[in-house]
Amino acid sequence: MSHSAEPNLARHVILSLNIDELPLTDVVRTALYPGRTELNILRTIDPSLSTLRNISDLGDKGSVRAQLWYNDVETFYCQASNCTQSEDSSSGAVSWQCDTLSCTCIPGSPLCGANPIADLTKTINSLGGTLGIKCDPPSNGSSTCSFVQDILKSLFGANGLQLSSCTFGECVQNAVVTGNSNSTATTTSSGGSSLGGGVIAGLAVVGALLLLAVIGIVWGWLVQRKARAAAGSGLGGTASQAERKAGVGIEWVDVGYTIQTRKRGGLLPTRGANDFDDGKVILNGISGRVQPGEMMAILGPSGAGKTSLIELLAGKNKDGIASGALTFFTPSGTPPPRRPRIGFVDQTDILPSTLTVKEALLFAARLRLPESVSEADKAARVFEVMQQLGISDLADMKIGGTFGQGRGVSGGEMRRISIGLELVARPEILILDEPTSGLDSASALKVATVLQQLARDPDSPTTVIASIHQPSSQLYRTFDQLLVLSKGRTLYSGAGGAAPTTYFASRGYPCPDMYNPADHLLDLATAPPSTLTSRPNVSSSSTEGPPGKVTNGTPGEKDALELRPLGSNSPSRKWIGSRDGKLATSHPDSLGYPSTFLTQLEVLSGREWTNLKRDKSLFIAHFGVAAILGVFCGGLYYNTGITIAGFQSRVGCLFFLGSLISFMSLSALYNIVEIKPLFLRERAGRYYSPSAWLLARVLFDVIPLRIIPTIVVSTITYWMAGLSADAARFFKFLLILVLFSLAMALYNFLLACTFSNGGIAILLSALFNLFTMTFAGFFVHLDTIPPVLRWLQWLCPLKYCLEALSVNEVGSGLMIQDSLQGVPVNISAQLIMTMLFGFGPNNYYRDVLVIFAFVAGFAVATIGTVWWLLRERR
């Protein structure tokens, strides 16, 4: 059509735009695509007025369709809808504004794969959002048109893609072509590209998770408030003063314990009853009884089964099969109204080295005493325990004892502190595994004296059971009851003092003069004569026993669970046992916690903060290394240019940052491995739930040791390297790296909690880091990876991190300005990014959500692992 008819374009039905030549001003395009390019655009204003329906018009009202031909080969096609037209009355220029643009590249065509070096498939397929077309008034039969869209602006500048030598035509019914020039034109404001449905859904999920977190905090506060306001507060919890003063006794009948191994054979593991061998018998028919306020010692050589019996009585999780019954009774012979509290002290002292003695005991009191007990009462209980144990003068001394924490308290004092951690909860029964091992005779006697005083406390007698390896004669005289084991069987069970030597002397094995009675008993237990082993085991239910032995029926025996023998003809007695390694009891163990979740989180956070303040080495090391590496990386990529080499350096800088953060997260793994024994002990003692511990670790490990160093190294590098000087893009840059750092920290938490061997966890973490570096898209173009391996890129967090960082950087309109063999080059960095690395220019928000999904996935896996795998097994 002629230039004079141009003002009437707004009322015409169909507008066709043909481009005979496409001489782009960019010499790079000329070098890559020297052939003839033609772009046909068909706009349908009103399909009802077209000459041939569905032939001369190919769309709905207000739609646009376009085809691009290169050397007479169709390369790609586009379509848009809701197009409106406006006209500049002064210049005669006409503008179109269209929504919902979408383009499809034809595979194998000249621009879409025929030339791998200049493959524009991803760029063309990513065109979307709002399209603006502006055409100048025709001159000499042709015009210049500009196509404006977000990606086109980033590729070709603010004016978008400019085309010259444009000609126009139209196809309408004759009745439409009239002299009426009344045109209606509307204008719409241009908008940015809309968010995809997946991104919106992801943002909705993130918002829902944040809302759940807020609801959880409010709910925890209400539960905590209700628990603290509950009536009946007191140091004994639900036990009355009269119950504490009376004490609780304990009796076990026919306790057996067998360690079984799975039979070999078969490709798949099975769980049938016949899939295990007979195993090794550790305990066989052990019975015993301790009255309230008495102290029993369990003697025997190494391998006699002392520790196994101690752990079964304490209710510890065992890997083998346990059998037997465990009952509790009061002095009146009736069972107690509830399961008594049982405190257990392991033979290894695992204590928080950075806390003082008072802080460690107060930590235990705040978590192990009921929520209704006031803070003043808990502090009074701690003071009382320190007085009982004789460690009041150590109240403000750091426990220490680990590398870097100084000497701290002595071994005997550590043992008394371990006992104190159990005593603050006021247990009715205290069970100790070799409390005097590793101590000199004076320290051992002091510990035994403390235990004797606890047992004979008139206000709150505690039943004490302790395994003793090799007691001195003085230590031997502190025991009220004695149980001697030999190869898993009872050699003696009865009163202590002179009764055991009298018992064995009556059977022809007197104790030599001036000889330690304990050593004499151990000699007999190490190599028991056949005359002793052939006799029935001496037990609480036998009618024949040593002097002072109670031979009548035991109080509370009627409450014991009945055990049935599997076969009376079996050479050794077998009882139905549980594979969870626990004894049958009429008082099941409580599964709750004395304190609420929010209180657990508060107390754990307080300890983590104290540890961080007193042991600053790890934080200083992370902060210092982050600052040094930030300066190093910033200097390495200092003031990166906008040449082709400079663009490569920019992406290399982003890749270096991601890899650095990935390897810095390895220290999170070591931290968990180091504190795991303390967590296992405290979890077994029901100090807190695993979720509270993990959340406190995340708060006081991730924030000071992951997020802050990440911000330091990223900020220094960002501004020294001369990346995009836009505040919004800088904070988007930080968001990606912080999320990535959180994801890698949680991944290392997961490895540390899954594997008991820290070396294996470190090896797997290092291999995973190498895997992420390989599939991040920096070393190899992702589209060139063989299909059998290409899918692994979707499991690579660093890939999404690097893509998001690169898209954020080039999204600022970065243009590469360089020269190749004297030919000037001016091309969009976004196009080069897509061609060289295969990154999608619109993938920033998608990558953010994917990294957040990694964070959520690693968090859920870590919580599940901590709950189900990271538990004490003996």
Side-chain angles (χ1 to χ4, degrees), residues 29 50 95 134 202 365 416 429 480 491 513 566 599 608 772:
R29 191 222 50 91
S50 62
S95 299
K134 180 179 180 181
R416 282 182 281 167
I429 300 172
D480 300 313
L491 200 63
D513 295 336
L566 292 176
T599 298
E608 294 293 341
T772 59

Side-chain angles (χ1 to χ4, degrees), residues 129-213:
T130 302
L131 172 67
I133 305 176
K134 180 179 180 181
C135 294
D136 295 334
S139 176
N140 297 326
S142 63
S143 178
T144 298
C145 294
S146 299
F147 294 81
V148 181
Q149 190 264 350
D150 289 343
I151 294 180
L152 296 179
K153 288 194 294 183
S154 65
L155 293 175
F156 302 102
N159 294 325
L161 176 63
Q162 292 185 337
L163 307 178
S164 59
S165 301
C166 300
T167 59
F168 302 87
E170 54 186 318
C171 183
V172 296
Q173 297 178 2
N174 290 332
V176 177
V177 184
T178 64
N180 184 10
S181 59
N182 295 329
S183 62
T184 59
T186 60
T187 60
T188 60
S189 61
S190 62
S193 60
S194 59
L195 295 177
V199 174
I200 295 175
L203 292 175
V205 171
V206 173
L209 292 177
L210 294 177
L211 179 61
L212 287 177

Side-chain angles (χ1 to χ4, degrees), residues 562-850:
E562 181 181 1
L563 298 174
R564 300 179 182 272
L566 292 176
S568 58
N569 296 326
S570 178
S572 62
R573 299 176 67 186
K574 293 184 179 180
W575 302 90
I576 295 178
S578 61
R579 289 191 180 273
D580 61 357
K582 291 189 176 183
L583 300 178
T585 177
S586 57
H587 294 79
D589 194 6
S590 174
L591 299 179
Y593 297 95
S595 55
T596 61
F597 180 85
L598 195 57
T599 298
Q600 296 171 16
L601 183 59
E602 290 176 359
V603 177
L604 284 167
S605 299
R607 184 172 72 175
E608 294 293 341
W609 175 244
T610 301
N611 292 341
L612 196 62
K613 288 191 300 181
R614 292 180 180 168
D615 185 11
K616 304 181 182 67
S617 58
L618 201 58
F619 175 74
I620 293 176
H622 277 77
F623 189 88
V625 168
I628 293 173
L629 289 177
V631 173
F632 171 79
C633 184
L636 186 65
Y637 298 101
Y638 182 72
N639 199 17
T640 304
I642 56 175
T643 62
I644 295 177
F647 177 74
Q648 182 182 6
S649 297
R650 285 174 185 263
V651 180
C653 176
L654 301 176
F655 175 79
F656 181 84
L657 280 175
S659 302
L660 175 63
I661 291 172
S662 181
F663 279 101
M664 286 178 64
S665 300
L666 274 170
S667 62
L669 188 152
Y670 173 77
N671 290 346
I672 296 295
V673 171
E674 188 179 38
I675 68 171
K676 191 189 298 184
L678 179 63
F679 165 74
L680 292 176
R681 179 185 69 80
E682 292 177 342
R683 180 183 180 181
R686 298 198 179 279
Y687 282 63
Y688 43 74
S689 71
S691 300
W693 172 78
L694 188 60
L695 183 56
R697 286 300 305 169
V698 168
L699 291 176
F700 287 88
D701 182 282
V702 171
I703 293 178
L705 302 182
R706 316 294 156 209
I707 294 181
I708 292 179
T710 296
I711 294 176
V712 170
V713 67
S714 303
T715 302
I716 296 175
T717 302
Y718 189 92
W719 298 110
M720 288 187 65
L723 301 181
S724 178
D726 183 359
R729 298 197 177 274
F730 169 68
F731 287 110
K732 291 168 69 177
F733 165 85
L734 285 184
L735 173 64
I736 286 292
L737 290 179
V738 167
L739 283 177
F740 179 68
S741 177
L742 179 58
M744 295 308 299
L746 289 174
Y747 170 73
N748 284 284
F749 281 176
L750 176 61
L751 289 180
C753 295
T754 303
F755 297 96
S756 57
N757 190 322
I760 295 178
I762 293 175
L763 174 63
L764 292 179
S765 180
L767 291 177
F768 182 77
N769 288 339
L770 293 177
F771 157 74
T772 59
M773 294 170 63
T774 302
F775 287 90
F778 182 76
F779 291 127
V780 59
H781 196 288
L782 298 176
D783 292 338
T784 62
I785 300 176
V788 69
L789 297 176
R790 192 179 303 163
W791 62 273
L792 291 173
Q793 64 177 293
W794 309 118
L795 304 178
C796 176
L798 185 57
K799 181 256 184 188
Y800 300 99
C801 175
L802 181 60
E803 182 180 48
L805 294 175
S806 302
V807 170
N808 179 64
E809 178 64 20
V810 303
S812 61
L814 180 66
M815 301 292 294
I816 295 178
Q817 299 176 5
D818 206 342
S819 62
L820 296 176
Q821 298 180 349
V823 178
V825 175
N826 185 6
I827 190 170
S828 170
Q830 191 176 84
L831 179 62
I832 298 299
M833 177 194 71
T834 302
M835 294 173 59
L836 294 183
F837 303 104
F839 296 154
N842 294 325
N843 288 348
Y844 176 84
Y845 291 104
R846 185 207 70 172
D847 294 336
V848 170
L849 292 177
V850 171

